[in-house]
Amino acid sequence: MLPVRSLAKIIFNTLIGGIALAIINFFGGFFNFHIALNVVTAMVAGILGIPGVLLLVVLKILFKAS
C-alpha cells in the first residue's frame, strides 16, 4: 500500500503545484512577473507542491534583482 500512497501524494502535489503556478503566472502578468513552465519548474512544483512553487518565486525574485 505504501507505493500507492506515495503515488497519490505525488499526483496531488503535481495538481496543486500546477494550479499554483498557473495562478502566479496569471496574476503576475499584471506586474510583469511570471515563472516559465519547463521541465525543471514542473518537476519542482510537482514533487514539492506549494513549497516548491514558493521556492521558484523566491529564486525568481533573487535572480531578477541581481
Side-chain angles (χ1 to χ4, degrees):
M1 289 294 172
L2 185 62
V4 173
R5 186 176 294 167
S6 297
L7 182 62
K9 185 174 181 180
I10 289 173
I11 291 171
F12 178 75
N13 281 345
T14 301
L15 289 174
I16 296 299
I19 291 169
L21 276 177
I23 290 170
I24 287 172
N25 284 336
F26 177 76
F27 288 111
F30 298 117
F31 304 103
N32 197 22
F33 180 85
H34 81 285
I35 298 172
L37 186 59
N38 55 37
V39 175
V40 175
T41 57
M43 287 182 64
V44 169
I47 294 172
L48 298 177
I50 296 294
V53 173
L54 292 175
L55 173 68
L56 291 170
V57 169
V58 168
L59 289 174
K60 175 77 173 188
I61 291 170
L62 287 176
F63 285 112
K64 189 174 184 179
S66 56

